[in-house]
Amino acid sequence: MSQTPVAAPVRVRVDLGPRSYDILIGPGLLGEAGRHLAAALPGARALVVSDETVAGLHADRLLAALSEAGIAASLLTLPPGETTKSFDHLIAVVDRILAERLERGDAVVAFGGGVIGDLSGFAAGIARRGMHLIQVPTSLLAQVDSSVGGKTGINSPCGKNLVGVFHQPALVLADTDVLDTLSEREFRAGYAEVVKYGLIDRPDFFEWLERNRAAIFAGGAARVEAVAQSCRAKAAVVAGDEREDGDRALLNLGHTFGHALESVARYDPARLVHGEGVSIGMALAHRFSVRLGLCPGQDAGRAEAHLRAAGLPTRIQEIPGDGFTLDALMDRIAQDKKVSRGALTFILTRGLGQAFVARDVSPDALRDFLLDELRA
Ligand SMILES: NC(=O)c1ccc[n+]([C@@H]2O[C@H](COP(=O)([O-])OP(=O)(O)OC[C@H]3O[C@@H](n4cnc5c(N)ncnc54)[C@H](O)[C@@H]3O)[C@@H](O)[C@H]2O)c1
Ligand SMILES: [Zn+2]
């Protein structure tokens, strides 16, 4: 693990009036976490929630940094994986908060990927009717997406992310060195969400990614810049639509298809992880837009080529195992919460970085398109 000398972190502000907060991004931030936490929440105690993998690799450094700053902290470690986003684990986190006698002014520190962030963010949102939350995201996906914006929650037997609250953090600390221990596959999956911001409405960022992909994967300044740009993009959308009543839906580019694919693959990470589903989903959204005469084929080709260059899948056939029938996919798409009253709502695009919310997508056109994709 590289012990990079601490340079000033990049600071991205999420503007939400009284709920505004900073995202700090840079190498070596874990070692500075105590100082930053104490500055944001003077006098607060902390419960650090993590998963076994992340805690085993990095918790010592975080706890030492908190202790050096005089912050009383304890650690709760949960099993890694999506199944941890459950009612049972929610109870475990809330019970621990109460057993530690933490008050509303104290902090829950979510130290892990999106699973830990969503679960402990929810616990922080409901324990004592809402406590402070500090996000210390450790996966690329969590650094560029799930730790920012205040959506928290768990899964229900009826589906993913169906139970939760909006609860904004008081601070996000994204230490880009921590990503060195992430598996290549998880890094790539997070990168799909980075590409997403370019494809939504930042064509310059997309071009920058085309030029800098290898450097971002290698680490260093390009990685910090990619995380910072992604956070700026997400912060801008969230500031304009905190509770997803309007434009925040653009963040779902690739996700209606992606969620359907994840569901058919039974959320089995051996077959498909979220970012891979999003990658295929974004490629499908671009090809579907071409088919509808909305987007030049060349732009869709460029989006797809970049995802492939990053080692991400872009076709349904690349997912191992079967079950990908037209009926299965249409069924999942119809169940998606982005479907309102029969009309299909999709994020489509007019070209690179020109995504828009299409509320009147014809189910017949979609069916024809998917049939061809499945036959291809
Ligand atoms: N709240 C939101 O706005 C939002 C947005 C997108 C996704 N999400 C949620 O995020 C979750 C996915 O997040 P994720 O991809 O981070 O999954 P995750 O939390 O399961 O992490 C992925 C894997 O990487 C491991 N890991 C994390 N950091 C590591 C590190 N530094 N070194 C080594 N291993 C590390 C974890 O232990 C886990 O096995 C999903 O539940 C999804 O619903 C939420
Ligand atoms: Zn996503």
Side-chain angles (χ1 to χ4, degrees):
M1 185 82 227
S2 49
Q3 290 282 344
T4 319
V6 181
V10 176
R11 188 178 293 261
V12 175
R13 184 82 176 156
V14 185
D15 254 315
L16 293 168
R19 290 178 304 288
S20 297
Y21 54 96
D22 284 336
I23 309 165
L24 301 184
I25 303 145
L29 266 175
L30 227 48
E32 302 281 295
R35 193 165 62 78
H36 292 301
L37 197 154
L41 303 172
R45 293 185 299 144
L47 173 67
V48 177
V49 183
S50 192
D51 74 27
E52 285 151 11
T53 307
V54 173
L57 291 163
H58 303 291
D60 286 354
R61 280 214 297 149
L62 177 61
L63 292 171
L66 296 179
S67 162
E68 275 163 28
I71 297 166
S74 64
L75 173 69
L76 171 62
T77 305
L78 302 171
E82 185 68 32
T83 50
T84 294
K85 270 173 61 172
S86 68
F87 276 104
D88 285 352
H89 287 106
L90 178 69
I91 292 169
V93 180
V94 170
D95 279 353
R96 181 67 182 267
I97 290 168
L98 301 178
E100 297 278 346
R101 299 180 190 279
L102 294 182
E103 314 269 341
R104 288 185 75 179
D106 294 326
V108 174
V109 177
F111 184 45
V115 164
I116 290 298
D118 281 11
L119 171 75
S120 25
F122 188 17
I126 59 174
R128 300 200 180 276
R129 298 198 174 78
M131 308 175 45
H132 293 302
L133 169 66
I134 307 282
Q135 291 273 12
V136 186
T138 64
S139 68
L140 181 58
L141 182 138
Q143 294 195 351
V144 301
D145 193 350
S146 60
S147 67
V148 176
K151 277 210 227 172
T152 75
I154 57 172
N155 304 323
S156 128
C158 293
K160 272 196 59 168
N161 297 326
L162 291 179
V163 183
V165 295
F166 283 95
H167 188 57
Q168 299 292 347
L171 177 68
V172 181
L173 292 177
D175 182 339
T176 47
D177 279 346
V178 172
L179 302 178
D180 287 348
T181 58
L182 198 63
S183 73
E184 173 103 16
R185 185 176 178 206
E186 290 290 353
F187 192 91
R188 278 200 299 261
Y191 187 73
E193 306 279 8
V194 174
V195 176
K196 178 184 76 178
Y197 296 114
L199 293 176
I200 290 172
D201 61 357
R202 299 191 173 219
D204 295 349
F205 182 46
F206 180 80
E207 283 180 18
W208 182 85
L209 292 173
E210 286 183 315
R211 292 194 303 276
N212 290 279
R213 178 183 46 77
I216 295 165
F217 275 66
R223 178 183 289 177
V224 175
E225 181 58 20
V227 174
Q229 273 296 352
S230 300
C231 288
R232 284 185 199 109
K234 179 142 187 192
V237 177
V238 168
D241 180 17
E242 186 177 1
R243 297 179 68 92
E244 196 168 332
D245 305 312
D247 281 352
R248 191 162 173 169
L250 286 173
L251 294 173
N252 290 319
L253 174 65
H255 281 64
T256 300
F257 286 125
H259 287 151
L261 298 171
E262 282 185 278
S263 167
V264 175
R266 298 181 187 280
Y267 302 100
D268 176 358
R271 295 178 70 188
L272 190 72
V273 296
H274 176 74
E276 293 166 346
V278 171
S279 177
I280 299 174
M282 291 192 296
L284 288 170
H286 278 72
R287 291 198 291 270
F288 189 31
S289 300
V290 173
R291 169 90 161 230
L292 294 172
L294 296 163
C295 170
Q298 204 182 327
D299 285 20
R302 229 170 112 186
E304 184 170 344
H306 185 65
L307 294 166
R308 298 202 74 79
L312 284 160
T314 56
R315 300 207 162 258
I316 299 171
Q317 287 82 350
E318 291 175 71
I319 307 169
D322 47 23
F324 295 95
T325 62
L326 181 64
D327 286 350
L329 289 172
M330 288 300 293
D331 179 62
R332 299 314 200 286
I333 288 168
Q335 276 173 19
D336 195 271
K337 60 181 185 294
K338 282 157 286 279
V339 175
S340 63
R341 284 176 244 101
L344 292 174
T345 297
F346 264 90
I347 312 304
L348 297 177
T349 188
R350 298 194 173 88
L352 285 174
Q354 299 176 59
F356 67 99
V357 184
R359 299 190 192 281
D360 52 353
V361 173
S362 134
D364 287 342
L366 177 64
R367 206 173 277 116
D368 289 349
F369 167 71
L370 283 175
L371 254 188
D372 286 351
E373 285 286 329
L374 291 167
R375 283 195 200 116

